[in-house]
Amino acid sequence: MAQNFDMVVIGSGPGGYVCAIRGAQLGLKVACIEREHLGGICLNWGCIPTKALLRSAEVFHLMHRAKEFGLSAGQIGYDLGAVVQRSRGVAKQLAGGVGHLLKKNKVTVIMGEATLTAPGKISVKTDKGAEEITGKAIVLATGARARNLPGLEADGDLVWNYKHALQPPRMPKKLLVIGSGAIGIEFASFFNTLGADTTVVEVMDRVLPVEDAEISALAKKQFVKQGMKIIEKATVKKLDRASGKVTAHIEKDGKTETQEFDTVISAVGIVGNVENLGLEKLGAKIDRTHVVTDEYCRTGVEGLYAIGDVAGAPWLAHKASHEGVMVAELIAGQHPHPIKPNSIPGCTYCNPQVASVGLTEEKAKAAGYEIKVGRFPFIGNGKAIALGEPEGLVKTVFDAKTGELLGAHMVGAEVTELIQGYVVGRTLETTEAELMETVFPHPTLSEMMHESVLSAYGRAIHF
């Protein structure tokens, strides 16, 4: 006999488990189906373990700078296995926490593979056989996986995807990273810091191509200073694999050259997990591996929603979580606001860090805005100098007519923490006037946010 629920969530990543918990808080009877790991890719193979690896690299980097701070450190080294073990331990701890939270909120967890057999009906293949359940509302939170391009397929030996790179079988000596989005540049930053001879190939005209051009250029300057080789407007056409080496055919400006590497990381995007769910049969529309939805994550099929990576860009955990909350509230009969894409922050945890929200300078101009742009460099900030982190920039873009904060873009130490101040400002529809009147504590890196706003209106004090 089928189990009946008010809401069934398929997938337990940051979209799915948050949606399930919020639904339970609102009094719904909720089930969450997961085929592999509670916490999804983010907790197990993405956001969290990569940050643990990058923290190890950051400490290693600072150890080499000990003399600058009046300190001494001898025999600096690392144990890659121990670094990875710490990362996996952090991921395991948080994934266990998700299980506890679901249980605490009385969400029924079903481990297995789900298929939609009819509107409101799901068949779950578990290790005990098939289980039939029904849901008045069904939320797809199945996430995405690494894209495999022909000829660049990951094999776990010479060519890695993000999963292989999180549990590397060895330390690369000469590394090629294909793609300079957040995933690619974070792994490039990690392995480069630990001593790999690292080359990054990017098909677009700059690294971190979704970021503001000025911020991308400053980040690239720091990457190159750290020893990375960056090849832009280039394509890896094919990889010739041999014993212990890969020959990459790199095309740039119509010419192809070959370079040898011992390891390649392919970070050329992701594809949505839409297969074998029965979506086509129900009439859900799929566009380039992502489920098509409206602003409330509705698929057009009665009672069927899609959130997070499977529903398309931006592919960010926090976007998935907020969509999960919104959908749960909608299903429970509340009236939530749709999420504004331009108020979702993006963070990249390379060294230096990069963070942004809203429109870039280029996109603001293209949208027809008359703009005012403010800039403040880290070198003008006392806390940044005291930290030994004088390289970086905070940039703000305003509508010259209304004072609306259109966008904010940063590169430098801890900017992934700073960006939230501007995100709150955008959510509250703050103008430059309120930001100028806000008191920022001294000495902090956050003072640069104030100075950047002042700079846009010719009022910067410290630069």
Side-chain angles (χ1 to χ4, degrees), residues 5 8 107:
F5 296 91
V8 179
V107 173

Side-chain angles (χ1 to χ4, degrees), residues 107-120:
V107 173
T108 301
V109 175
I110 302 169
M111 298 303 293
E113 277 196 63
T115 304
L116 302 170
T117 55

Side-chain angles (χ1 to χ4, degrees), residues 41-54 80-81 83-88 91 160-169 183 186-187 190-191 265:
I41 291 297
C42 179
L43 262 65
N44 292 281
W45 298 104
C47 327
I48 300 303
T50 53
K51 302 315 158 284
L53 291 181
L54 287 159
L80 185 61
V83 169
V84 171
Q85 188 177 13
R86 176 181 180 271
S87 167
R88 300 314 308 153
W160 301 347
N161 60 24
Y162 62 85
K163 278 194 175 183
H164 305 129
L166 279 167
Q167 290 188 300
I183 294 172
E186 286 183 0
F187 279 123
F190 172 73
F191 286 110
I265 296 176

Side-chain angles (χ1 to χ4, degrees), residues 175-190:
L175 171 68
L176 169 64
V177 177
I178 308 172
S180 75
I183 294 172
I185 213 69
E186 286 183 0
F187 279 123
S189 192
F190 172 73

Side-chain angles (χ1 to χ4, degrees), residues 433-442 444 446-447 449-451 454:
E434 288 85 12
L435 290 167
M436 285 180 181
E437 293 299 323
T438 300
V439 179
F440 287 75
H442 173 81
T444 64
S446 68
E447 291 174 277
M449 299 167 64
H450 192 216
E451 290 276 7
L454 293 171

Side-chain angles (χ1 to χ4, degrees), residues 30-366:
V30 182
C32 185
I33 304 169
E34 172 55 53
R35 69 178 181 182
E36 197 171 6
H37 304 292
L38 289 177
I41 291 297
C42 179
L43 262 65
N44 292 281
W45 298 104
C47 327
I48 300 303
T50 53
K51 302 315 158 284
L53 291 181
L54 287 159
R55 176 61 171 165
S56 292
E58 180 186 12
V59 173
F60 183 67
H61 172 70
L62 285 171
M63 288 168 72
H64 280 89
R65 295 178 58 195
K67 195 174 180 182
E68 289 178 39
F69 299 91
L71 307 172
S72 60
Q75 294 184 309
I76 299 167
Y78 63 86
D79 177 340
L80 185 61
V83 169
V84 171
Q85 188 177 13
R86 176 181 180 271
S87 167
R88 300 314 308 153
V90 169
K92 185 178 179 182
Q93 179 183 341
L94 286 165
V98 169
H100 169 73
L101 288 170
L102 290 167
K103 186 177 180 181
K104 176 186 168 185
N105 285 279
K106 298 181 173 55
V107 173
T108 301
V109 175
I110 302 169
M111 298 303 293
E113 277 196 63
T115 304
L116 302 170
T117 55
K121 294 185 179 180
I122 303 169
S123 176
V124 186
K125 186 180 176 184
T126 71
D127 54 9
K128 295 177 183 176
E131 189 174 330
E132 304 301 318
I133 67 173
T134 66
K136 293 174 187 172
I138 296 171
V139 183
L140 299 174
T142 51
R145 62 187 184 276
R147 182 186 299 277
N148 259 331
L149 293 182
L152 308 182
E153 295 92 349
D155 54 39
D157 178 21
L158 298 171
V159 183
W160 301 347
N161 60 24
Y162 62 85
K163 278 194 175 183
H164 305 129
L166 279 167
Q167 290 188 300
R170 65 179 179 280
M171 178 63 196
K173 291 184 176 68
K174 194 172 182 191
L175 171 68
L176 169 64
V177 177
I178 308 172
S180 75
I183 294 172
I185 213 69
E186 286 183 0
F187 279 123
S189 192
F190 172 73
F191 286 110
N192 186 71
T193 300
L194 293 189
D197 179 356
T198 304
T199 298
V200 178
V201 172
E202 171 55 53
V203 69
M204 303 298 281
D205 62 356
R206 63 178 190 268
V207 291
L208 297 167
V210 302
E211 301 295 342
D212 185 89
E214 190 174 359
I215 298 298
S216 292
L218 287 168
K220 178 188 173 182
K221 186 178 176 183
Q222 288 302 302
F223 298 150
V224 171
K225 189 177 177 181
Q226 294 163 17
M228 266 191 227
K229 300 170 189 69
I230 309 282
I231 306 173
E232 295 155 328
K233 291 193 283 188
T235 307
V236 178
K237 303 303 286 185
K238 68 172 181 171
L239 299 171
D240 295 330
R241 307 170 203 222
S243 179
K245 70 175 184 180
V246 180
T247 302
H249 297 252
I250 304 169
E251 184 184 279
K252 180 176 169 65
D253 299 329
K255 298 175 184 176
T256 301
E257 65 169 40
T258 59
Q259 288 191 41
E260 273 189 15
F261 301 89
D262 64 75
T263 310
V264 177
I265 296 176
S266 178
V268 290
I270 60 174
V271 293
N273 293 322
V274 294
E275 301 88 352
N276 306 316
L277 287 168
L279 295 177
E280 295 87 347
K281 183 181 172 185
L282 290 183
K285 292 180 183 175
I286 297 170
D287 179 26
R288 289 169 291 180
T289 79
H290 293 93
V291 180
V292 177
T293 64
D294 66 8
E295 62 181 353
Y296 286 101
C297 298
R298 296 176 293 212
T299 64
V301 176
E302 185 66 32
L304 182 64
Y305 303 79
I307 64 173
D309 287 359
V310 76
W315 298 284
L316 300 166
H318 43 282
K319 172 250 195 186
S321 295
H322 273 264
E323 286 181 338
V325 169
M326 176 186 72
V327 165
E329 292 177 351
L330 205 60
I331 291 166
Q334 297 193 354
H335 304 282
H337 293 290
I339 293 159
K340 298 175 182 175
N342 275 332
S343 289
I344 300 172
C347 297
T348 306
Y349 299 82
C350 44
N351 180 20
Q353 293 181 6
V354 176
S356 59
V357 66
L359 299 177
T360 64
E361 180 179 358
E362 186 179 23
K363 285 187 176 176
K365 287 176 180 174

